[in-house]
């Protein structure tokens, strides 16, 4: 695990005029995709990370290598989902917490994958594989390579950055978890929500996690 202090320049739309901490977290997530993703290039391992706010609008990032949380031979998204499913669900009622006072204010996951045009029907043999739970996007000729960063803060606000290879980053922030999201992205968000809530509750979820 590596831990770094970073000063982020906010380059995404302002999240909230009443919550500057949310703006700082959004800036950090955008910068992580740009600096640890786009700048370092493609075909990199998935990265799980936590954020911690420090005085002066600084952010401490802790990156957790796959070896610390992904069993050998397991797809990282599946490993993350398994970790999340082992933790209690997030309660429906959650009192707001101050991100500046938390040892971990957000947890995120950066990964690469393939996206497909969902308006185009899959070939029958590929559709059969998909129905069996097999990932099939990489088998399609019209696939597009994409890098995605999901993050969830301690108040269950979600941050989402998506970049198709060769394109610009798209940024989206939601007020709360969209638990009806479909596919791997929804699975990742749901897992991060549980992981973040467990950390907020004081559980040691990751090796070397700030106490």
């Amino acid at each position: 695990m590596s831990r770094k202090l970073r000063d982020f320049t906010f380059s995404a739309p302002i999240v909230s005029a009443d919550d500057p901490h949310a703006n700082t977290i959004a800036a950090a997530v955008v910068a992580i995709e740009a600096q640890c993703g786009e700048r370092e290039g493609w075909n990199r391992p998935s990265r799980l990370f936590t954020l911690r706010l420090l005085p002066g609008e600084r952010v401490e990032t802790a990156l957790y290598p796959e070896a610390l949380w992904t069993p050998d031979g397991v797809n990282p998204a599946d490993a993350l989902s398994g970790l999340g499913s082992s933790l209690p669900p997030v309660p429906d009622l959650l009192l707001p917490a101050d991100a500046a006072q938390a040892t971990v204010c957000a947890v995120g996951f950066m990964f690469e994958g393939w996206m497909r045009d969902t308006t185009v029907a899959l070939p029958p043999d590929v559709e059969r594989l998909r129905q069996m739970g097999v990932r099939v996007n990489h088998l399609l000729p019209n696939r597009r390579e994409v890098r995605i960063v999901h993050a969830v803060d301690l108040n269950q606000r979600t941050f989402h950055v998506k970049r198709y290879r060769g394109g610009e980053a798209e940024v989206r922030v939601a007020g709360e978890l969209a638990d009806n999201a479909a596919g791997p992205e929804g699975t990742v968000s749901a897992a991060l929500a549980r992981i973040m809530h467990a950390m907020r509750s004081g559980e040691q979820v990751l090796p070397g996690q700030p106490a």
Side-chain angles (χ1 to χ4, degrees), residues 30-79:
V30 169
I32 285 172
E33 190 282 327
Q35 297 176 16
C36 300
E38 187 65 7
R39 184 181 298 174
E40 294 183 8
W42 291 78
N43 303 318
R44 304 280 293 175
S46 300
R47 278 154 284 186
L48 185 63
F49 61 89
T50 57
L51 301 178
R52 180 181 184 181
L53 296 182
L54 299 174
E57 297 303 307
R58 293 186 303 159
V59 179
E60 182 183 74
T61 63
L63 297 175
Y64 296 83
E66 282 187 6
L68 290 179
W69 53 275
T70 309
D72 288 340
V74 176
N75 180 282
D78 291 339

Side-chain angles (χ1 to χ4, degrees), residues 44-154:
R44 304 280 293 175
S46 300
R47 278 154 284 186
L48 185 63
F49 61 89
T50 57
L51 301 178
R52 180 181 184 181
L53 296 182
L54 299 174
E57 297 303 307
R58 293 186 303 159
V59 179
E60 182 183 74
T61 63
L63 297 175
Y64 296 83
E66 282 187 6
L68 290 179
W69 53 275
T70 309
D72 288 340
V74 176
N75 180 282
D78 291 339
L80 189 73
S81 179
L83 177 59
S85 65
S86 70
L87 300 170
V90 180
D92 293 332
L93 179 61
L94 194 65
L95 295 177
D98 184 0
Q101 302 301 316
T103 54
V104 173
C105 69
V107 60
F109 182 58
M110 179 162 62
F111 62 105
E112 298 175 9
W114 298 101
M115 301 289 284
R116 66 181 176 91
D117 183 353
T118 56
T119 65
V120 178
L122 295 174
D125 55 338
V126 177
E127 176 61 26
R128 283 194 294 271
L129 289 174
R130 190 187 71 83
Q131 293 290 343
M132 295 169 57
V134 178
R135 289 183 173 85
V136 299
N137 288 358
H138 65 288
L139 302 175
L140 303 173
N142 62 345
R143 65 188 184 273
R144 297 182 67 188
E145 195 169 9
V146 65
R147 181 189 303 112
I148 294 172
V149 183
H150 277 300
V152 178
D153 73 4
L154 78 173

